[in-house]
Amino acid sequence: MKIKMLIPVALILVLTLSLCACSANTNTGTNTTVAPTTAPATTVAAEANTTTAAPTTAPATEAQADTSEDVFTGEDALALVESTHELTSENLYYVFRGIYMIDGYNYYAIDLRKSFETNSTYMSTYFVNLDGSEVQSGYIVDEVGYIGTEKPAVEVTEENAVKIVEAAYDFEENCFLTYKGVEEIDGVTYYAVDLRKSLEANTTYLSTYFVNADGTEIVLGYYEGGTPVLGE
């Protein structure tokens, strides 16, 4: 009789333990759900960073280098002056003189000269930018370039009077200049420079160039009975 009473109690204990085990398994299943990781977000951020590379400046540097070259020449400068400043008479002509620096800038110098029967004379100079962008009129005095419409003044002395005339004119090989002296004509002081021509056995007098004191004017003349006369 006691044994029969214990069996139901044992069954109850077994059921109770089974229920507890199931409850434990259910809780374990809930706890084993894995939280999502943040790796995908990290990967997207890395991919975004790789698309923000800064642009290079190499093309701009190459463009600057390409525009720094000047290809204009002295012959081009002469042709440019001939095409933009038409000559007004047959005895005028242009000649390339060289490169002169004025106020820190280099220019091609194109001289305007006038030819005569035995020589030619310097008139003025056109200064052309090395890139051909501008042509300006001026003068060259004592191998110094000046831009402007008025011929610059230079002090004339006995020592440089001949050099001033030589720079202004081209003479034949058998012609030469000699300094004569100072003359006052019509109230103006001139330095007289004689032009002479050498022959086989002697020399002959041709004419005289009268240079005013500031070098802005050279007048061709001659002596008649020891008296200076201005004009050809």
Side-chain angles (χ1 to χ4, degrees), residues 81-168:
V81 173
E82 290 176 339
S83 64
T84 56
H85 295 75
E86 186 176 352
L87 297 174
T88 56
S89 66
E90 294 181 356
N91 59 343
L92 292 176
Y93 64 97
Y94 292 115
V95 59
F96 173 65
R97 183 164 182 162
I99 298 178
Y100 282 74
M101 178 176 288
I102 303 175
D103 296 332
Y105 295 94
N106 287 322
Y107 298 89
Y108 292 109
I110 308 299
D111 282 353
L112 172 63
R113 302 190 70 89
K114 185 176 183 180
S115 61
F116 296 96
E117 292 182 359
T118 59
N119 55 55
S120 66
T121 180
Y122 168 80
M123 304 293 290
S124 61
T125 299
Y126 289 99
F127 295 99
V128 184
N129 292 33
L130 296 189
D131 60 1
S133 60
E134 188 176 11
V135 179
Q136 303 179 76
S137 60
Y139 296 90
I140 294 178
V141 177
D142 199 16
E143 288 304 312
V144 178
Y146 299 89
I147 294 177
T149 56
E150 295 185 2
K151 189 175 182 180
V154 59
E155 183 181 0
V156 182
T157 64
E158 296 179 1
E159 288 75 17
N160 67 6
V162 172
K163 291 182 178 179
I164 291 174
V165 176
E166 285 178 341

Side-chain angles (χ1 to χ4, degrees), residues 132 169 179 210:
Y169 295 87
Y179 175 72
F210 296 96

Side-chain angles (χ1 to χ4, degrees), residues 4-31:
K4 291 181 180 180
M5 293 293 294
L6 291 175
I7 290 173
V9 174
L11 291 173
I12 293 171
L13 290 174
V14 171
L15 291 174
T16 302
L17 291 175
S18 298
L19 291 174
C20 290
C22 290
S23 176
N25 290 336
T26 303
N27 290 337
T28 302
T30 303
N31 292 336

